[in-house]
Amino acid sequence: MKIEIIKPLIVLALFFSCLGCSEDFEVPTAKSIEIPKGNMVSIASAKAGLDRLLDNTTTFTTDQLMEAYVVSTDRGGNFFKELILQDRPINPTTGIHFLLDERSLHNRFPFGSKIIIQLNGLSVGFGNGVAKLGKLLENDIVALSAFEIDKHVFRTSDVASIEPLELSISELTQEKESQLVNLTNMQFANNLLTDSGKTLAGASTDNFDGLRPILNCNEGIEITLCTSNFASFKSLLLPEGSGEITGVLSRDFRNDFFVLKMNTANDLKFTQATRCDPVFYECNNTSNEANEVVFSEDFETITNENLLEALGWININTTGDEKRWTDKKITNVANRVMTISAFNTNLRPLEAWLITPEVDLTSIEDAFFQCRIRTQFNNGKILNIWITTNFTGDPKTTSWQLLPLNIPTLSSNYKLLKQNISCFSEKVRIGFQYKGFDPLATSTYQIDDVQFYGNVKIP
């Protein structure tokens, strides 16, 4: 059988003939050559048997061929010595990272090109959270050398028009890894935009990659945009509006959370001026020191979350599931807290509210709210703390104001959060809203030592 394949020697000859001119030379014309022998298998078949938890590998020992389409380009510097491959140009079902020890891969394997890979001698396994194809070296999947690339990789004359998968945040699962996806109605977090001159990856604190949370307005959940420090568009300022973004779904280097990686700056299309920012609580009152405790709960007597209801607390899942905030004893410090995580719940989303009893501030001035928050296994900030003066009995229909608290996003000890609420002189409630998506965002949060305090008004 014959197929249109571009011979590596032709590519090399054209490359050396172009020294001194632009590195982006015209794609050579394919020549009809004999296809390597072997049974054709899919990417899914090549990955069959891999287990993330076992971290196993598979090595191919017979002549098998794998057909795939390139959905990445290193032309912008955001990908390096790898091709992202998926099984179809339209409506793909799976993908894989292909490690190749060569720069400027976009010259040999342009975006959209169809390639055929001789699998004999290659291996697949997991690395940094994603399935990878390469060669096995001491239990690690590593890149093919230049000689091995010529031996195993053949580019056909077919350059397909790739259509990214149109997905919602809740549809970003492990099965969609290493595929090109498009997300709409997205915006960068408001606190990022207040940082003057915030770029994709140009800050001095960006080590290797710039990680920028980007929010989906429809579902109120974030994913992290990952941009390499070597990307040509790393200094692009974050746009203030909203729009859509296209990129490869992958994992961060430590395999803690999902990330989206763009091919070019044109993949970020923020053409709308509108945003979906919540109403933030603002109070310009200057408050004196306060010492009168109005309400306090340390959860030490809460040995079952049902005990909260008799105390006026509301603990509810608003998406129809029974999973909600639960009591937990921290054994190493003899402490009790309220905790929640979406991990292993298979819920997309898990939205649960823990709402304080009504606290009367009518006779209080210099009022403050405070609590202690701890997060573990954090893969995205999915906790918000709100305040309201007109709770309807349903957190979904209540008008809330978002407290501008610096909720921790990295695993740490308990952090004291404190907020001036002296602009309120009526009855209020505080709502702790957790909104997770398993496995996209499953961070664990623990709440302790909730307190309202202030000074009693002098008649």
Side-chain angles (χ1 to χ4, degrees):
M1 180 175 63
K2 292 186 177 181
I3 192 167
E4 296 296 306
I5 301 283
I6 294 182
K7 293 183 178 180
L9 292 178
I10 296 175
V11 175
L12 289 173
L14 287 171
F15 174 80
F16 287 114
S17 69
C18 281
L19 288 177
C21 59
S22 172
E23 69 169 359
D24 297 314
F25 51 87
E26 184 178 352
V27 177
T29 303
K31 300 295 184 181
S32 179
I33 68 169
E34 197 73 20
I35 187 173
K37 294 181 180 180
N39 296 324
M40 191 70 71
V41 299
S42 65
I43 296 177
S45 296
K47 291 164 57 179
L50 293 185
D51 190 298
R52 294 171 187 270
L53 297 179
L54 296 177
D55 195 25
N56 60 330
T57 59
T58 299
T59 298
F60 302 96
T61 57
T62 60
D63 289 333
Q64 299 180 74
L65 307 176
M66 189 178 79
E67 181 179 279
Y69 292 85
V70 178
V71 295
S72 65
T73 175
D74 57 7
R75 185 172 185 176
N78 209 26
F79 292 93
F80 182 66
K81 293 188 176 182
E82 67 176 348
L83 297 177
I84 311 301
L85 308 176
Q86 62 185 43
D87 58 351
R88 303 172 187 167
I90 301 174
N91 296 323
T93 62
T94 190
I96 196 168
H97 289 229
F98 189 19
L99 307 184
L100 305 173
D101 190 13
E102 183 175 303
R103 298 172 183 268
S104 300
L105 287 167
H106 64 276
N107 286 327
R108 292 183 65 180
F109 309 108
F111 181 87
S113 58
K114 178 181 176 180
I115 66 174
I116 293 176
I117 303 167
Q118 170 58 267
L119 294 175
N120 195 353
L122 303 186
S123 300
V124 293
F126 281 100
N128 306 115
V130 294
K132 294 187 176 183
L133 173 65
K135 62 181 181 180
L136 189 63
L137 180 63
E138 297 181 354
N139 297 320
D140 290 328
I141 304 297
V142 300
L144 274 65
S145 67
F147 170 77
E148 292 166 324
I149 294 173
D150 294 339
K151 179 181 176 182
H152 286 275
V153 191
F154 306 88
R155 179 167 66 81
T156 75
S157 59
D158 186 3
V159 179
S161 177
I162 305 295
E163 294 186 14
L165 284 170
E166 299 286 343
L167 299 176
S168 64
I169 288 285
S170 59
E171 294 173 315
L172 298 181
T173 60
Q174 292 175 343
E175 290 72 24
K176 300 296 189 297
E177 288 173 356
S178 306
Q179 297 177 54
L180 194 70
V181 303
N182 188 69
L183 305 176
T184 59
N185 205 9
M186 306 292 291
Q187 68 178 39
F188 287 98
N190 189 67
N191 64 316
L192 288 180
L193 302 178
T194 57
D195 186 355
S196 178
K198 192 71 170 183
T199 62
L200 288 174
S204 59
T205 54
D206 293 327
N207 297 320
F208 301 106
D209 295 313
L211 301 176
R212 305 290 183 260
I214 186 167
L215 175 75
N216 179 270
C217 288
N218 295 333
E219 299 174 284
I221 195 71
E222 294 177 344
I223 187 172
T224 300
L225 181 64
C226 178
T227 307
S228 169
N229 287 158
F230 297 98
S232 60
F233 47 88
K234 70 174 185 179
S235 298
L236 182 70
L237 294 176
L238 301 184
E240 296 183 355
S242 61
E244 61 184 278
I245 183 170
T246 301
V248 171
L249 182 65
S250 189
R251 300 284 292 179
D252 75 298
F253 183 77
R254 294 181 176 85
N255 189 26
D256 291 329
F257 48 84
F258 281 115
V259 297
L260 201 66
K261 297 189 70 173
M262 299 189 301
N263 280 304
T264 72
N266 293 331
D267 289 332
L268 187 62
K269 305 180 184 69
F270 276 30
T271 59
Q272 304 166 34
T274 56
R275 291 176 56 86
C276 61
D277 294 321
V279 176
F280 281 88
Y281 166 70
E282 294 183 5
C283 182
N284 296 321
N285 287 357
T286 56
S287 297
N288 300 312
E289 288 295 323
N291 52 29
E292 184 75 23
V293 176
V294 183
F295 172 87
S296 181
E297 178 59 71
D298 60 10
F299 304 111
E300 290 305 307
T301 63
I302 308 303
T303 55
N304 185 304
E305 63 265 20
N306 293 325
L307 296 175
L308 288 172
E309 297 175 7
L311 301 177
W313 288 79
I314 295 171
N315 186 10
I316 185 173
N317 183 306
T318 59
T319 48
D321 192 81
E322 296 181 357
K323 177 71 174 179
R324 59 180 188 167
W325 291 84
T326 58
D327 61 285
K328 180 178 177 65
K329 183 177 181 180
I330 311 299
T331 55
N332 59 331
V333 291
N335 186 34
R336 300 195 74 90
V337 299
M338 296 300 295
T339 186
I340 194 169
S341 172
F343 181 69
N344 270 351
T345 63
N346 200 33
L347 295 176
R348 298 187 291 271
L350 161 59
E351 183 172 352
W353 288 74
L354 182 64
I355 303 171
T356 68
E358 193 172 67
V359 177
D360 191 352
L361 300 179
T362 54
S363 61
I364 300 297
E365 60 184 3
D366 303 318
F368 288 88
F369 162 78
Q370 72 176 33
C371 65
R372 295 185 187 274
I373 298 286
R374 181 189 185 193
T375 184
Q376 295 176 297
F377 314 109
N378 196 291
N379 55 9
K381 189 186 80 66
I382 49 181
L383 178 70
N384 286 310
I385 303 177
W386 307 80
I387 190 168
T388 185
T389 59
N390 60 348
F391 184 63
T392 65
D394 181 356
K396 289 293 196 180
T397 61
T398 296
S399 177
W400 296 94
Q401 295 181 61
L402 184 62
L403 295 181
L405 294 166
N406 189 19
I407 297 173
T409 57
L410 297 176
S411 299
S412 64
N413 293 326
Y414 289 92
K415 181 178 180 179
L416 179 64
L417 304 183
K418 182 177 178 180
Q419 178 64 51
N420 176 354
I421 55 172
S422 60
C423 289
F424 290 105
S425 59
E426 55 264 87
K427 296 176 180 180
V428 301
R429 287 181 186 258
I430 296 289
F432 299 90
Q433 179 204 25
Y434 180 94
K435 193 170 186 180
F437 285 75
D438 185 26
L440 179 67
T442 61
S443 306
T444 298
Y445 280 97
Q446 296 172 355
I447 297 173
D448 198 10
D449 298 328
V450 175
Q451 191 174 96
F452 293 78
Y453 62 97
N455 292 316
V456 178
K457 293 179 181 178
I458 300 176

